[in-house]
Amino acid sequence: MFALPLTDDGAELRPLETWHAAEFFAHVERGRDFIGTYIGFVDPVVSQDAARDLLHRYATKRAADEGYLYGIWTGCAEPGGGTLVGGVLFRVFDARTGVCEIGCWLEPAGTGRGLVTRACHVLADWAFHERGMHRVEWWAAAANTASTAVARRLGMTREAVLRESSPRGGVRHDMEGWAVLAHEWDAREDGEPRA
């Protein structure tokens, strides 16, 4: 499969497939508390079999053109090597309406390097230019400032705040909805994510 470089020091974006179940489960175990602070994506991943089930659901979504899942690996000196530290996804992909939603997660070892911003830039650019999507959305807990900062760097506009709509860890979080439209994406000055 393909591997797209994200940085000059060996970080890559690759499809996250069913056969990565053991590696994905190990990654989730390393970062479970950090990842789970604001998102429940990895909550059901309590075993290697459960990891395989989640990855299989996304393989099914990909086959139906309804969602896609990619991993972020660091330390990729050898082809197919490195350590899985996070990922990005099209949680929703509706080619009929031209609307999709990008999401992300990282374990602590992947933070602070701009990996998610670069990976999400790749996904948004593909959605607009290869698939002809009209709108890319991003939803994040308002308190998850790292996530909302990615939305800003991607040139998205905050369109909504759903007050106390997301219960997580005994707290009801406000959720922010962000989006960028195709013509806005193409009108960016340099075509690159903002630092």
Side-chain angles (χ1 to χ4, degrees), residues 14 16 19-30 48 51 55 73 80-85 107:
R14 303 181 207 153
L16 190 50
W19 58 272
H20 290 118
E23 187 175 12
F24 181 59
F25 178 59
H27 152 64
V28 168
E29 286 295 287
R30 288 191 306 270
Q48 188 170 321
L55 296 175
W73 278 264
T83 302
L84 178 64
V85 296
E107 66 178 78

Side-chain angles (χ1 to χ4, degrees), residues 15 17 33 54 80 191:
E17 313 242 19
D33 291 340
L54 186 144

Side-chain angles (χ1 to χ4, degrees), residues 9-93:
D9 63 351
E12 294 179 346
L13 180 68
R14 303 181 207 153
L16 190 50
E17 313 242 19
T18 306
W19 58 272
H20 290 118
E23 187 175 12
F24 181 59
F25 178 59
H27 152 64
V28 168
E29 286 295 287
R30 288 191 306 270
R32 184 178 301 281
D33 291 340
F34 182 78
I35 297 165
T37 302
Y38 295 111
I39 62 171
F41 176 70
V42 298
D43 288 353
V45 181
V46 296
S47 67
Q48 188 170 321
D49 287 340
R52 185 175 295 103
D53 289 345
L54 186 144
L55 296 175
H56 180 72
R57 281 197 305 277
Y58 269 89
T60 301
K61 287 179 82 163
R62 182 181 65 237
D65 196 27
E66 296 174 350
Y68 298 84
L69 186 62
Y70 303 94
I72 298 171
W73 278 264
T74 58
C76 303
E78 303 277 327
T83 302
L84 178 64
V85 296
V88 293
L89 70 156
F90 286 110
R91 195 186 73 75
V92 174
F93 194 90

